[in-house]
Amino acid sequence: MPPRLQDLPQIQTLLDQPAIAVLTERYSHEETAVALRLIVGALRDALRGGREVVWPDFESMAFAAEVTAKIEAGRAPSLRPVINATGILIHTNLGRARMAPQAVAAMQSVAEAAGNLEFDLSTGKRGSRHSHTERLICELTGAEAAVVVNNCAAAVLLSLMATAGGRSVVASRGELIEIGGSFRLPDVIAQSGATLREVGTTNKTRLSDYADAIEPDTAVLLKSHTSNFRIVGFTAAPARRDLAKLAAERNVILIEDLGSGVLVDLSPFGLRDEPVVADILKDGVDLVMFSGDKLLGGPQAGIIAGRRDVVAQLKAHPLMRALRSDKLTLAALEATLRLYRAPHNPMKEVPVLAMLSEPLASVQDRADKLARELSTIANLDPETEQTAAYVGGGSLPQQDLDSFAVSVALDGMSPDDLMTALRSAATPVIGRIERNRVLLDMRTVQDCETALIVAAFTQISAA
Ligand SMILES: *Cc1c(COP(=O)(O)O)cnc(C)c1O
């Protein structure tokens, strides 16, 4: 007779069995009970749904082993590595930039030992945590001074609070952006205690619009890089240099929220719309802010660079203490920035830039190799196809990167179910669905990760 709902054992009955009771001691009563509820719950759902069930022998060692596996699965780290096969280089939900080995090593060395975070080794007196990255940022951007905070959102908030709190900020209607995660510039300006004075229109803002809006209480002209959308056609915005001149004449400061902010010119790689930080400062912008973990390729951080007197104001602001970076971030950022100095080549050594600049033929080789290995797995029909990859992270919205992907379908499994199975692999694999097939983009996958993808498919196909 097939098993019925009333044949399911009580959780307490199972807990009292010797092989299971051992587990309550080795792990905990709570974890064992949770695992049992999950297993029994799955059986109940299967019975209710009229699906075929493999009825376990609840008193067997095999069942105890199943419970053990469930407990161990529940103990797996929550935050762990995954394989980014989405083709989005800087994927915010997947932790953005993959860091260089030098940055990882720097974090490890200051994590496991004491460090001179705020200690001046030459005088033996208190030092500044800002000193470790400031000189490098200045060297690489031409800024007079720089400071690092938790992220770019914090950088914008702190900059506005310190320079415009209680006064007004002039910004173009075409640049009042939302970054995502409810970071909306007008709200951030309000939070900073400043008043927003909007000028121009969505598509056109002229220098005279800014000039006419400056009042005695105006402290800041704010420019923002419209990094995740583009207005095309009948548009106009004043040149940075002219805005900077206006700001200087009227004794207000010009601040630019760059978002990504690159230190090297990426136009040779077909990416023409990311302004280089040094060029922006050369145009006379007083303060720029950009993220550490977007195209810079380092840890999560917000870098603020510019005029010495303005940066000094930020460093002295009471909010600085709440927004400052920790030693791991500062160590990783310093190590990443060092890769931008000769004899290093950031396009090869900073992983985000290496992914971005990898020749298409090399991406194709990786796709061909993976497809060949996957073709030996039963019921799988891998194919390679040319795709478009994206920088992501709110950068370069319109420009895609040529790429290659391996597309797969598994007999008897929907693309959604295959995506789910790939996410539950030992190392989760995150791809995307296109035309009813699962696509694994190879521009964002490393050579050393393809073996893990093969292992995931082998397991799925055998299940
Ligand atoms: C991404 C972005 C931010 C926010 O940066 P975080 O480092 O995520 O805080 C702010 N402004 C612009 C223009 C951005 O693109």
Side-chain angles (χ1 to χ4, degrees):
M1 197 163 71
R4 299 159 306 171
L5 275 175
Q6 56 265 44
D7 297 328
L8 285 169
Q10 298 287 323
I11 300 297
Q12 190 54 54
T13 313
L14 294 174
L15 282 166
D16 289 339
Q17 282 168 24
I20 304 294
V22 171
L23 297 180
T24 65
E25 278 162 37
R26 193 191 312 158
Y27 299 98
S28 71
H29 184 277
E30 184 54 28
E31 285 174 288
T32 313
V34 167
L36 288 169
R37 274 187 223 115
L38 285 171
I39 293 168
V40 172
L43 288 170
R44 185 181 298 117
D45 289 347
L47 289 177
R48 284 206 179 121
R51 293 194 294 279
E52 204 176 313
V53 294
V54 183
W55 198 250
D57 173 358
F58 291 102
E59 287 169 24
S60 67
M61 289 313 289
F63 182 69
E66 188 183 342
V67 179
T68 307
K70 213 30 137 202
I71 296 172
E72 287 290 351
R75 283 193 167 197
S78 172
L79 179 58
R80 57 206 172 105
V82 304
I83 294 170
N84 174 8
T86 62
I88 298 168
L89 274 63
I90 303 165
H91 197 304
T92 296
N93 300 147
L94 299 183
R96 291 199 184 158
R98 196 149 49 68
M99 276 189 257
Q102 291 92 332
V104 176
M107 272 192 291
Q108 169 142 13
S109 64
V110 297
E112 56 194 16
N116 60 333
L117 180 64
E118 291 186 348
F119 186 78
D120 186 329
L121 290 171
S122 58
T123 62
K125 298 218 169 70
R126 191 199 161 113
S128 162
R129 70 176 61 219
H130 305 310
S131 66
H132 307 292
T133 48
E134 183 165 20
R135 203 168 44 85
L136 266 169
I137 297 169
C138 292
E139 179 187 317
L140 296 167
T141 64
E144 290 173 3
V147 68
V148 177
V149 291
N150 185 46
N151 55 21
C152 191
V156 176
L157 179 65
L158 176 66
S159 301
L160 291 174
M161 258 185 159
T163 61
R167 303 174 65 193
S168 73
V169 173
V170 176
S172 160
R173 291 197 169 88
E175 296 178 357
L176 294 174
I177 50 176
E178 169 170 327
I179 302 301
S182 73
F183 181 88
R184 291 178 147 189
L185 210 44
D187 300 342
V188 177
I189 294 170
Q191 283 297 320
S192 77
T195 312
L196 169 62
R197 198 158 289 147
E198 297 178 26
V199 297
T201 60
T202 308
N203 55 327
K204 281 205 172 195
T205 303
R206 298 184 179 82
L207 189 65
S208 58
D209 295 325
Y210 285 93
D212 293 347
I214 298 175
E215 305 259 345
D217 79 334
T218 302
V220 166
L221 305 186
L222 178 64
K223 248 191 100 52
S224 313
H225 190 42
T226 55
S227 54
N228 53 7
F229 72 100
R230 182 127 312 157
I231 296 172
V232 292
F234 189 58
T235 64
R240 251 185 216 99
R241 211 176 289 241
D242 296 336
L243 261 183
K245 219 167 105 214
L246 173 67
E249 279 166 14
R250 307 288 294 270
N251 200 26
V252 298
I253 63 168
L254 176 59
I255 292 182
E256 181 156 357
D257 172 16
L258 269 180
S260 205
V262 295
L263 301 181
V264 286
D265 180 14
L266 296 179
S267 59
F269 305 94
L271 305 175
R272 254 162 236 100
D273 293 328
E274 268 311 314
V276 177
V277 177
D279 294 340
I280 287 173
L281 289 171
K282 228 179 271 158
D283 277 347
V285 175
D286 295 302
L287 210 60
V288 294
M289 40 234 115
F290 50 101
S291 298
D293 56 349
K294 289 184 179 172
L295 281 166
L296 189 81
Q300 179 187 306
I303 299 166
I304 308 170
R307 238 166 69 183
R308 191 184 322 276
D309 58 331
V310 184
V311 172
Q313 251 173 287
L314 306 194
K315 285 179 181 167
H317 193 275
L319 199 65
M320 185 68 221
R321 172 70 190 230
L323 301 180
R324 70 189 190 182
S325 297
D326 73 315
K327 64 175 179 175
L328 299 185
T329 300
L330 292 171
L333 185 60
E334 183 187 356
T336 305
L337 291 169
R338 291 167 74 91
L339 298 176
Y340 283 86
R341 277 208 299 219
H344 292 288
N345 177 357
M347 296 314 297
K348 290 214 152 55
E349 296 182 60
V350 175
V352 168
L353 299 181
M355 271 197 273
L356 187 149
S357 61
E358 184 182 13
L360 184 60
S362 161
V363 179
Q364 184 174 16
D365 282 348
R366 192 176 312 117
D368 287 342
K369 181 166 169 283
L370 178 62
R372 256 196 321 278
E373 288 175 18
L374 291 179
S375 66
T376 63
I377 297 172
N379 304 324
L380 210 57
D381 66 337
E383 285 167 14
T384 57
E385 56 182 272
Q386 191 157 356
T387 52
Y390 294 89
V391 174
S395 315
L396 309 155
Q398 303 251 293
Q399 299 183 50
D400 49 20
L401 302 161
D402 288 336
S403 185
F404 270 90
V406 177
S407 93
V408 283
L410 190 66
D411 278 351
M413 202 183 240
S414 72
D416 279 322
D417 287 345
L418 182 51
M419 291 277 281
T420 305
L422 286 167
R423 283 198 307 275
S424 50
T427 304
V429 181
I430 320 293
R432 66 177 194 268
I433 297 175
E434 253 177 46
R435 282 167 285 113
N436 238 13
R437 291 171 69 85
V438 171
L439 232 65
L440 302 175
D441 198 296
M442 289 298 117
R443 189 169 279 285
T444 50
V445 170
Q446 294 174 272
D447 279 330
C448 64
E449 291 173 325
T450 56
L452 296 168
I453 297 177
V454 175
F457 277 104
T458 307
Q459 200 186 13
I460 293 166
S461 146

